[in-house]
Short mmCIF file of all heavy atoms in Angstrom, two decimals:
data_model
loop_
_atom_site.label_atom_id
_atom_site.label_comp_id
_atom_site.label_asym_id
_atom_site.label_seq_id
_atom_site.Cartn_x
_atom_site.Cartn_y
_atom_site.Cartn_z
N HIS I 202 100.62 72.87 95.98
CA HIS I 202 100.39 71.43 95.74
C HIS I 202 101.25 70.54 96.71
O HIS I 202 100.71 69.52 97.19
CB HIS I 202 100.75 71.13 94.28
CG HIS I 202 100.31 69.79 93.80
ND1 HIS I 202 100.73 69.21 92.64
CD2 HIS I 202 99.38 68.92 94.32
CE1 HIS I 202 100.13 68.05 92.50
NE2 HIS I 202 99.32 67.82 93.48
N ASP I 203 102.49 70.89 96.87
CA ASP I 203 103.36 70.00 97.77
C ASP I 203 102.84 69.97 99.21
O ASP I 203 102.85 68.93 99.80
CB ASP I 203 104.82 70.57 97.75
CG ASP I 203 105.48 70.27 96.43
OD1 ASP I 203 104.99 69.47 95.64
OD2 ASP I 203 106.55 70.93 96.14
N VAL I 204 102.37 71.13 99.67
CA VAL I 204 101.78 71.16 101.01
C VAL I 204 100.52 70.30 101.09
O VAL I 204 100.30 69.58 102.05
CB VAL I 204 101.52 72.63 101.47
CG1 VAL I 204 100.91 72.65 102.88
CG2 VAL I 204 102.78 73.44 101.46
N ASP I 205 99.70 70.43 100.04
CA ASP I 205 98.46 69.66 99.98
C ASP I 205 98.76 68.15 100.12
O ASP I 205 98.06 67.42 100.82
CB ASP I 205 97.64 69.96 98.74
CG ASP I 205 97.11 71.37 98.70
OD1 ASP I 205 97.13 72.06 99.75
OD2 ASP I 205 96.67 71.78 97.63
N ARG I 206 99.69 67.75 99.35
CA ARG I 206 100.04 66.32 99.33
C ARG I 206 100.52 65.86 100.74
O ARG I 206 100.20 64.79 101.20
CB ARG I 206 101.15 66.07 98.30
CG ARG I 206 100.65 66.08 96.89
CD ARG I 206 101.85 66.02 95.91
NE ARG I 206 101.38 65.57 94.57
CZ ARG I 206 102.18 65.56 93.56
NH1 ARG I 206 103.47 66.02 93.62
NH2 ARG I 206 101.76 65.15 92.37
N ARG I 207 101.34 66.71 101.33
CA ARG I 207 101.87 66.35 102.71
C ARG I 207 100.73 66.30 103.71
O ARG I 207 100.67 65.41 104.56
CB ARG I 207 102.89 67.41 103.15
CG ARG I 207 103.52 67.09 104.47
CD ARG I 207 104.60 68.08 104.81
NE ARG I 207 104.11 69.46 104.84
CZ ARG I 207 103.43 69.95 105.87
NH1 ARG I 207 103.10 69.18 106.95
NH2 ARG I 207 103.03 71.24 105.86
N LEU I 208 99.80 67.30 103.61
CA LEU I 208 98.67 67.29 104.57
C LEU I 208 97.76 66.10 104.36
O LEU I 208 97.19 65.56 105.35
CB LEU I 208 97.89 68.65 104.40
CG LEU I 208 98.62 69.90 104.80
CD1 LEU I 208 97.71 71.10 104.54
CD2 LEU I 208 99.08 69.84 106.26
N ALA I 209 97.58 65.66 103.11
CA ALA I 209 96.78 64.52 102.85
C ALA I 209 97.35 63.24 103.52
O ALA I 209 96.57 62.40 104.02
CB ALA I 209 96.64 64.28 101.29
N ARG I 210 98.67 63.18 103.52
CA ARG I 210 99.32 62.01 104.20
C ARG I 210 99.21 62.11 105.72
O ARG I 210 99.09 61.10 106.39
CB ARG I 210 100.79 61.91 103.73
CG ARG I 210 100.94 61.59 102.25
CD ARG I 210 102.41 61.39 101.87
NE ARG I 210 102.53 61.08 100.44
CZ ARG I 210 102.80 61.96 99.50
NH1 ARG I 210 103.00 63.22 99.85
NH2 ARG I 210 102.91 61.59 98.24
N LYS I 211 99.31 63.32 106.22
CA LYS I 211 99.35 63.52 107.66
C LYS I 211 97.97 63.50 108.33
O LYS I 211 97.82 63.06 109.45
CB LYS I 211 100.04 64.85 107.97
CG LYS I 211 100.28 65.07 109.45
CD LYS I 211 101.14 66.31 109.67
CE LYS I 211 101.42 66.57 111.16
NZ LYS I 211 102.29 67.77 111.35
N PHE I 212 96.95 63.95 107.57
CA PHE I 212 95.60 64.09 108.11
C PHE I 212 94.57 63.36 107.22
O PHE I 212 93.90 63.93 106.41
CB PHE I 212 95.20 65.54 108.21
CG PHE I 212 96.12 66.38 109.11
CD1 PHE I 212 97.01 67.25 108.54
CD2 PHE I 212 96.09 66.26 110.53
CE1 PHE I 212 97.84 68.04 109.30
CE2 PHE I 212 96.88 67.02 111.32
CZ PHE I 212 97.78 67.88 110.71
N PRO I 213 94.44 62.04 107.42
CA PRO I 213 93.51 61.26 106.58
C PRO I 213 92.04 61.69 106.79
O PRO I 213 91.21 61.28 106.01
CB PRO I 213 93.80 59.81 107.07
CG PRO I 213 94.40 59.93 108.40
CD PRO I 213 95.19 61.21 108.37
N GLU I 214 91.78 62.44 107.83
CA GLU I 214 90.43 62.90 108.04
C GLU I 214 89.97 63.88 107.01
O GLU I 214 88.76 64.10 106.85
CB GLU I 214 90.33 63.63 109.46
CG GLU I 214 90.70 62.74 110.63
CD GLU I 214 92.15 62.93 111.05
OE1 GLU I 214 92.99 63.22 110.16
OE2 GLU I 214 92.47 62.85 112.25
N LEU I 215 90.91 64.48 106.27
CA LEU I 215 90.55 65.42 105.23
C LEU I 215 90.14 64.65 103.96
O LEU I 215 91.00 64.09 103.25
CB LEU I 215 91.74 66.35 104.90
CG LEU I 215 92.21 67.21 106.05
CD1 LEU I 215 93.49 67.98 105.65
CD2 LEU I 215 91.17 68.24 106.46
N ASP I 216 88.84 64.54 103.73
CA ASP I 216 88.36 63.79 102.60
C ASP I 216 88.67 64.40 101.28
O ASP I 216 89.01 63.72 100.30
CB ASP I 216 86.83 63.60 102.74
CG ASP I 216 86.45 62.87 104.04
OD1 ASP I 216 86.82 61.67 104.17
OD2 ASP I 216 85.86 63.52 104.90
N VAL I 217 88.61 65.72 101.17
CA VAL I 217 88.84 66.47 99.94
C VAL I 217 89.71 67.63 100.28
O VAL I 217 89.48 68.39 101.21
CB VAL I 217 87.52 66.94 99.34
CG1 VAL I 217 87.84 67.77 98.07
CG2 VAL I 217 86.58 65.77 99.03
N ILE I 218 90.78 67.82 99.49
CA ILE I 218 91.61 69.03 99.53
C ILE I 218 91.59 69.73 98.18
O ILE I 218 92.05 69.16 97.20
CB ILE I 218 93.07 68.68 99.94
CG1 ILE I 218 93.12 67.96 101.32
CG2 ILE I 218 93.93 69.92 99.95
CD1 ILE I 218 94.47 67.53 101.68
N ILE I 219 90.99 70.89 98.15
CA ILE I 219 90.94 71.66 96.89
C ILE I 219 92.13 72.67 96.97
O ILE I 219 92.18 73.49 97.87
CB ILE I 219 89.61 72.38 96.78
CG1 ILE I 219 88.42 71.45 97.05
CG2 ILE I 219 89.46 72.95 95.34
CD1 ILE I 219 87.07 72.11 97.01
N GLY I 220 92.98 72.55 95.96
CA GLY I 220 94.27 73.31 96.04
C GLY I 220 94.31 74.49 95.13
O GLY I 220 93.54 74.61 94.15
N SER I 221 95.28 75.36 95.47
CA SER I 221 95.51 76.58 94.63
C SER I 221 96.88 77.10 95.00
O SER I 221 97.74 76.38 95.54
CB SER I 221 94.46 77.60 94.95
OG SER I 221 94.49 77.97 96.32
N HIS I 222 97.17 78.36 94.71
CA HIS I 222 98.40 79.04 95.02
C HIS I 222 99.52 78.71 94.08
O HIS I 222 100.19 79.63 93.55
CB HIS I 222 98.83 78.76 96.49
CG HIS I 222 100.05 79.54 96.97
ND1 HIS I 222 100.13 80.92 96.73
CD2 HIS I 222 101.17 79.20 97.61
CE1 HIS I 222 101.28 81.35 97.30
NE2 HIS I 222 101.91 80.35 97.78
N THR I 223 99.82 77.46 93.83
CA THR I 223 100.87 77.09 92.90
C THR I 223 100.35 76.91 91.44
O THR I 223 101.10 76.44 90.56
CB THR I 223 101.60 75.84 93.35
OG1 THR I 223 100.65 74.85 93.80
CG2 THR I 223 102.53 76.12 94.50
N HIS I 224 99.10 77.21 91.23
CA HIS I 224 98.53 77.28 89.87
C HIS I 224 98.62 75.89 89.15
O HIS I 224 98.85 75.85 87.96
CB HIS I 224 99.26 78.36 89.02
CG HIS I 224 99.07 79.72 89.56
ND1 HIS I 224 99.72 80.85 89.02
CD2 HIS I 224 98.39 80.21 90.64
CE1 HIS I 224 99.39 81.94 89.73
NE2 HIS I 224 98.63 81.57 90.71
N HIS I 225 98.53 74.86 89.90
CA HIS I 225 98.62 73.49 89.32
C HIS I 225 97.25 73.07 88.86
O HIS I 225 96.21 73.51 89.36
CB HIS I 225 99.21 72.54 90.29
CG HIS I 225 98.47 72.49 91.63
ND1 HIS I 225 98.53 73.51 92.57
CD2 HIS I 225 97.73 71.48 92.21
CE1 HIS I 225 97.80 73.21 93.62
NE2 HIS I 225 97.32 71.93 93.44
N LEU I 226 97.26 72.18 87.87
CA LEU I 226 96.01 71.64 87.29
C LEU I 226 95.97 70.13 87.48
O LEU I 226 96.90 69.38 87.09
CB LEU I 226 95.98 71.94 85.80
CG LEU I 226 94.79 71.39 85.00
CD1 LEU I 226 93.46 71.98 85.53
CD2 LEU I 226 94.95 71.59 83.54
N LEU I 227 94.90 69.67 88.12
CA LEU I 227 94.65 68.26 88.28
C LEU I 227 93.41 67.92 87.50
O LEU I 227 92.29 68.06 88.00
CB LEU I 227 94.50 67.89 89.77
CG LEU I 227 95.70 68.20 90.66
CD1 LEU I 227 95.40 67.92 92.13
CD2 LEU I 227 96.98 67.50 90.19
N VAL I 228 93.59 67.49 86.29
CA VAL I 228 92.47 67.34 85.34
C VAL I 228 91.41 66.33 85.90
O VAL I 228 90.21 66.58 85.73
CB VAL I 228 92.98 66.86 83.95
CG1 VAL I 228 91.83 66.60 83.00
CG2 VAL I 228 93.92 67.90 83.37
N LYS I 229 91.91 65.27 86.48
CA LYS I 229 90.96 64.28 86.99
C LYS I 229 91.21 64.08 88.51
O LYS I 229 90.87 63.00 89.09
CB LYS I 229 91.08 62.94 86.30
CG LYS I 229 90.67 63.02 84.83
CD LYS I 229 90.72 61.68 84.15
CE LYS I 229 90.23 61.80 82.70
NZ LYS I 229 90.30 60.48 81.99
N GLY I 230 91.79 65.06 89.13
CA GLY I 230 92.08 64.95 90.60
C GLY I 230 93.32 64.09 90.86
O GLY I 230 93.98 63.60 89.87
N GLU I 231 93.58 63.93 92.09
CA GLU I 231 94.74 63.08 92.50
C GLU I 231 94.39 62.42 93.82
O GLU I 231 93.83 63.04 94.69
CB GLU I 231 96.01 63.96 92.66
CG GLU I 231 97.23 63.20 93.07
CD GLU I 231 98.40 64.15 93.23
OE1 GLU I 231 98.25 65.35 93.54
OE2 GLU I 231 99.56 63.69 93.09
N ARG I 232 94.74 61.12 93.94
CA ARG I 232 94.44 60.41 95.17
C ARG I 232 95.72 60.29 96.04
O ARG I 232 96.70 59.77 95.58
CB ARG I 232 93.89 58.99 94.83
CG ARG I 232 93.48 58.17 96.01
CD ARG I 232 92.19 58.72 96.63
NE ARG I 232 91.08 58.68 95.68
CZ ARG I 232 89.86 59.12 95.93
NH1 ARG I 232 89.55 59.64 97.14
NH2 ARG I 232 88.91 59.07 95.01
N ILE I 233 95.62 60.79 97.22
CA ILE I 233 96.72 60.64 98.16
C ILE I 233 96.13 59.94 99.35
O ILE I 233 95.36 60.55 100.17
CB ILE I 233 97.34 61.97 98.57
CG1 ILE I 233 97.93 62.71 97.43
CG2 ILE I 233 98.46 61.76 99.65
CD1 ILE I 233 99.14 62.09 96.76
N ASN I 234 96.43 58.66 99.55
CA ASN I 234 95.88 57.83 100.58
C ASN I 234 94.28 57.90 100.47
O ASN I 234 93.76 57.60 99.42
CB ASN I 234 96.35 58.25 101.94
CG ASN I 234 97.83 57.89 102.17
OD1 ASN I 234 98.36 57.04 101.44
ND2 ASN I 234 98.48 58.56 103.09
#
Side-chain angles (χ1 to χ4, degrees):
H202 194 195
D203 288 345
V204 178
D205 292 347
R206 285 171 160 173
R207 182 177 61 77
L208 294 178
R210 294 184 179 97
K211 187 173 182 179
F212 301 104
E214 301 96 327
L215 298 174
D216 299 295
V217 177
I218 301 176
I219 312 176
S221 60
H222 186 47
T223 44
H224 299 175
H225 54 291
L226 175 65
L227 301 177
V228 175
K229 295 184 179 179
E231 179 182 28
R232 184 73 59 183
I233 301 291
N234 292 339

